[in-house]
């Protein structure tokens, strides 16, 4: 049998294998694919994928079949048409299925959000503080950008400038809310209105989000070194005031240049002047509590020696805790030495005067102010710093008093009851104390006279209420500190500057130096209960000073025009009931 004959039945079997079964329906097409016979009259060999005889196939317009996806819908399957894709919109645009017939309470009131008036004749602190205390959605529209370049502000550089300004303010002792207000003012002056500053005790951060669909840009800066220089603080406030002025056109380069000059500025007073001011402060404080000329000289010498020792420890890199401990020892040692030498002086006045120059009244006021304004983390850190400073002072004084008692020094804890009343001399001493305190704080010379008068007013009010009216010393201190805060806020609004230079030095005469000393003396004499009571009185006086200063500042805003006050009258503030 030939090869062709052998292949013929196999070809017939192959065809029958692919032949459509009987009764099956095949879709008819316009053109059939014929089977081409071979040249010798027999059919040619076909592939296993060849179309069998009698099976029709659809021919496409091209030679190749159309390729489809695995997810293509089969023929004859009906699928509901897909809805049109919604255009991307704002996060506040209503959804497609939103119906106003059964709508929930509207986000915006029917009358619209009240317009916030931000007049230009009020300090930028009030305007920015008003905006920071408002929800983000209720802040007014940004003002026309005055400092932006043609291509828009450089966001990273603006944020860096903002953080550097905030660092100087926070390191100078400014409150957290005022630092946030300054940072917000700088960003807003360059057109970055959607900014959120955040201030803690050691970390500054700010975030800017151009819109709800854009990625935010966040930057942070750590405050590692702190210093007391109110001249530098006032210069930073002037820079922020100029940046916030819509009529001024200060570029980023000019702002950086001015900021660099502020950082390089020398202190207005040399080191020897600061040491002399510390001694004069201790001497006037000793006169304030009943000391005479010998006490004045002894307290001044002790304070100057302690100041020099503290400078030495600072140069060696020792922490501030040990600096306060070392600085508190020389005044206490001189008081004990005068008592051991049987010199007829009030040793308690010598030690009390030396404590006045060390008590951290500035940090205490700033800590309480942060707590009252809602910055609890920063307030806790500041108060913890105050506690460490106070413990350092206690350690230094207690060491000296302990050895003094062992040496037989006749120190009387009840000597404070025999304090003489010399109103004129005490008022002069209080004013001089405020003046020297202002020098220690490195204030500008133009503010020294005003803060001196403010300190004299504070002591006059305290003496009138406590000595003449026999009112509690805590209440008298709170009222006097409230007047200090009120006058300081008025002066700061008049000068468009910070209120710290006008309040911190003025509270110097009110610091609880005598209560602190007598509490420590009682503990050194093993009278712990009496000592703790006296120390609790000192803490109460310190808190009264801090709360009074902050309350005076807030009271000033009740009577002075504050932007947004009229429009915000209809919106209630946050309220808690029974701690919930």
């Amino acid at each position: 049998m030939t090869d062709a004959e052998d292949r013929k039945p196999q070809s017939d079997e192959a065809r029958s294998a692919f032949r459509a079964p009987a009764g099956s329906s095949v879709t008819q097409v316009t053109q059939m694919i014929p089977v081409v016979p071979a040249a010798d009259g027999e059919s040619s060999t076909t592939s296993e994928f060849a179309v069998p005889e009698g099976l029709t196939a659809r021919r496409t317009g091209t030679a190749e079949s159309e390729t489809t996806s695995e997810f293509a819908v089969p023929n004859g399957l009906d699928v509901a048409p897909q809805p049109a894709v919604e255009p991307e919109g704002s996060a506040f645009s209503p959804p497609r299925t939103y119906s106003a017939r059964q709508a929930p309470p509207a986000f915006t009131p029917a009358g619209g959000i009240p317009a916030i008036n931000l007049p230009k004749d009020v300090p930028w602190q009030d305007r920015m503080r008003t905006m920071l205390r408002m929800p983000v959605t209720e802040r007014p529209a940004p003002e026309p950008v005055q400092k932006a370049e043609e291509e828009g502000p450089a966001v990273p550089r603006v944020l860096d400038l903002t953080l550097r300004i905030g660092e100087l303010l926070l390191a100078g002792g400014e409150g957290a809310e005022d630092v946030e207000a300054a940072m917000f003012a700088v960003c807003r002056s360059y057109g970055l209105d959607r900014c959120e500053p955040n201030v803690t005790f050691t970390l500054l951060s700010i975030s800017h989000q151009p819109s709800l669909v854009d990625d935010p840009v966040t930057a942070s800066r750590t405050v590692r070194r702190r210093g007391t220089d109110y001249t530098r603080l006032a210069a930073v406030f002037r820079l922020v005031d100029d940046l916030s002025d819509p009529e001024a056109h200060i570029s980023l380069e000019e702002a950086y240049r001015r900021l660099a000059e502020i950082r390089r500025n020398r202190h207005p007073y040399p080191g020897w002047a600061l040491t002399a001011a510390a001694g004069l402060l201790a001497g006037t404080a000793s006169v304030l509590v009943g000391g005479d000329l010998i006490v004045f000289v002894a307290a001044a010498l002790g304070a100057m020696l302690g100041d020099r020792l503290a400078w030495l420890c600072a140069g060696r890199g020792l922490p501030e805790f040990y600096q306060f401990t070392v600085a508190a020892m020389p005044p206490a040692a001189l008081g004990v030495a005068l008592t051991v030498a049987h010199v007829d002086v009030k040793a308690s006045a010598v030690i009390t005067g030396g404590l006045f120059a060390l008590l951290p009244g500035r940090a205490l006021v700033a800590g309480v102010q942060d707590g009252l304004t809602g910055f609890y983390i920063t307030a806790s850190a500041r108060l913890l710093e105050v506690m460490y400073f106070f413990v350092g002072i206690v350690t230094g004084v207690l060491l000296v008093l302990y050895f003094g008692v062992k040496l037989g020094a006749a120190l009387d804890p009840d000597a404070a009851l025999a304090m003489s009343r010399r109103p004129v001399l005490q008022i002069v001493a209080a004013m001089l104390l405020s003046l020297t305190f202002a020098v220690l704080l490195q204030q500008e010379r133009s503010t020294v006279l005003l803060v001196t008068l403010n300190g004299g007013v504070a002591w006059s009010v305290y003496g009138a209420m406590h000595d003449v009216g026999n009112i509690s010393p805590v209440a008298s201190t709170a009222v006097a500190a409230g007047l200090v805060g009120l006058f300081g806020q008025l002066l700061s609004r008049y000068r468009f500057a910070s209120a710290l230079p006008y309040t911190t030095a003025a509270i110097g005469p009110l610091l609880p130096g005598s209560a602190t000393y007598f509490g420590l003396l009682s503990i050194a004499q093993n009278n712990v209960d009496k000592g703790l009571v006296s120390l609790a009185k000192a803490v109460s006086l310190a808190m009264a000073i801090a709360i009074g200063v902050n309350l005076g500042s807030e009271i000033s805003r009740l009577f002075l025009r504050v932007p947004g006050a009229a429009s915000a009258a209809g919106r209630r503030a946050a309220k808690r009931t029974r701690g919930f």
Side-chain angles (χ1 to χ4, degrees):
M1 185 180 295
T2 62
D3 295 339
E5 292 177 352
D6 292 341
R7 290 193 299 268
K8 185 174 181 180
Q10 296 176 1
S11 176
D12 294 340
E13 293 176 359
R15 291 192 185 96
S16 64
F18 290 91
R19 185 170 296 132
S24 62
S25 59
V26 179
T27 305
Q28 298 296 327
V29 295
T30 59
Q31 186 176 0
M32 303 295 293
I33 302 177
V35 178
V36 181
D40 55 357
E42 297 180 358
S43 60
S44 60
T45 304
T46 60
S47 169
E48 294 182 357
F49 300 99
V51 180
E53 294 180 359
L55 182 63
T56 60
R58 184 182 302 272
R59 181 180 294 276
T60 59
T62 59
E64 298 179 357
S65 61
E66 182 181 1
T67 303
T68 60
S69 171
E70 296 180 358
F71 303 99
V73 180
N75 294 333
L77 181 62
D78 296 332
V79 180
Q82 298 293 331
V85 180
E86 297 182 5
E88 184 178 2
S90 171
F92 297 100
S93 59
R96 181 180 56 84
T97 58
Y98 178 82
S99 176
R101 180 172 299 177
Q102 296 179 352
F107 179 77
T108 304
I113 298 176
I116 306 300
N117 183 23
L118 297 177
K120 302 298 187 298
D121 56 345
V122 296
W124 60 266
Q125 298 97 310
D126 291 339
R127 292 188 283 121
M128 297 300 108
R129 186 183 292 109
T130 300
M131 296 188 62
L132 284 175
R133 293 182 178 182
M134 294 169 53
V136 178
T137 55
E138 298 185 13
R139 291 177 183 172
E143 301 171 359
V145 179
Q146 301 292 339
K147 287 62 172 193
E149 305 294 340
E150 294 181 358
E151 65 276 6
V155 175
R157 295 195 65 196
V158 172
L159 297 184
D160 179 72
L161 176 67
T162 302
L163 290 174
R164 292 178 183 274
I165 290 177
E167 178 190 9
L168 289 180
L169 293 176
L170 187 63
E174 192 64 64
E177 187 179 32
D178 293 328
V179 175
E180 284 195 359
M183 295 172 64
F184 189 78
V186 174
C187 288
R188 191 175 176 84
S189 65
Y190 286 100
L192 307 183
D193 60 302
R194 298 180 62 87
C195 287
E196 287 297 330
N198 186 23
V199 176
T200 58
F201 187 60
T202 57
L203 182 65
L204 298 170
S205 63
I206 188 167
S207 178
H208 169 66
Q209 188 174 13
S211 65
L212 293 173
V213 297
D214 292 331
D215 296 332
V217 180
T218 304
S220 62
R221 192 172 182 88
T222 303
V223 180
R224 302 186 182 276
R225 186 176 182 181
R226 302 177 184 275
T228 304
D229 189 349
Y230 282 1
T231 301
R232 177 180 296 174
L233 189 68
V236 176
F237 263 75
R238 284 193 295 269
L239 174 59
V240 178
D241 185 41
D242 293 340
L243 292 175
S244 303
D245 188 1
E247 298 180 358
H249 300 273
I250 301 178
S251 62
L252 282 174
E253 288 72 16
E254 177 67 16
Y256 268 108
R257 185 190 63 79
R258 291 183 56 178
L259 187 62
E261 290 180 354
I262 292 173
R263 297 180 69 94
R264 290 194 301 264
N265 277 347
R266 298 178 60 88
H267 297 303
Y269 307 102
W272 63 267
L274 298 179
T275 302
L280 189 58
L281 188 151
T284 54
S286 64
V287 174
L288 198 64
V289 294
D292 52 10
L293 182 59
I294 299 178
V295 171
F296 177 90
V297 175
L301 290 177
M304 288 189 291
L305 181 59
D307 182 75
R308 285 293 92 190
L309 290 177
W311 277 94
L312 179 62
C313 294
R316 298 295 181 180
L318 291 179
E320 287 184 298
F321 175 85
Y322 302 105
Q323 297 177 27
F324 274 82
T325 302
V326 171
M329 296 177 71
L334 283 179
V336 171
L338 291 176
T339 303
V340 173
H342 301 288
V343 180
D344 189 14
V345 295
K346 289 185 177 181
S348 60
V350 176
I351 303 176
T352 300
L355 293 179
F356 265 84
L358 300 176
L359 294 178
R362 172 182 58 86
L364 177 65
V365 172
V368 174
Q369 179 181 357
D370 290 340
L372 294 177
T373 53
F375 295 85
Y376 301 112
I377 297 178
T378 307
S380 302
R382 288 186 188 271
L383 294 179
L384 184 62
E385 181 188 40
V386 171
M387 187 193 73
Y388 273 103
F389 291 164
F390 189 76
V391 171
I393 297 172
V394 168
T395 303
V397 175
L398 272 181
L399 286 175
V400 176
L401 292 181
Y402 177 78
F403 286 105
V405 171
K406 292 297 182 180
L407 292 175
L411 299 173
D412 187 9
D414 298 326
L417 300 177
M419 183 181 298
S420 59
R421 296 182 179 180
R422 299 169 293 179
V424 177
L425 182 60
Q426 288 179 338
I427 291 175
V428 174
M431 295 176 65
L432 188 58
L433 190 150
S434 299
L435 187 148
T436 53
F437 208 164
V439 174
L440 288 177
L441 293 174
Q442 303 278 359
Q443 291 190 196
E444 293 180 312
R445 292 179 173 87
S446 59
T447 63
V448 172
L449 178 60
L450 295 175
V451 74
T452 300
L453 296 176
N454 202 7
V457 171
W459 183 258
S460 300
V461 173
Y462 171 81
M465 294 183 63
H466 178 58
D467 297 336
V468 180
N470 294 325
I471 301 177
S472 169
V474 177
S476 303
T477 301
V479 174
L483 290 178
V484 169
L486 177 61
F487 293 154
Q489 188 66 30
L490 294 176
L491 291 173
S492 67
R493 290 174 62 91
Y494 175 74
R495 295 273 184 116
F496 278 41
S498 173
L500 286 181
Y502 303 100
T503 57
T504 305
I507 65 173
L510 304 176
L511 293 176
S514 58
T516 303
Y517 161 69
F518 288 113
L520 298 179
L521 179 58
S522 298
I523 293 176
Q525 293 180 345
N526 204 19
N527 194 350
V528 180
D529 294 338
K530 189 175 180 180
L532 292 178
V533 170
S534 184
L535 290 179
K537 178 182 177 181
V539 173
S540 301
L541 292 174
M543 294 297 293
I545 293 173
I547 295 175
V549 170
N550 180 263
L551 183 60
S553 301
E554 295 295 335
I555 287 177
S556 66
R557 300 188 180 98
L558 296 178
F559 302 100
L560 299 175
R561 184 176 63 172
V562 176
S567 58
R571 298 193 300 271
R572 292 187 177 182
K575 179 182 179 181
R576 293 184 181 180
T577 304
R578 296 188 180 93
F580 297 102

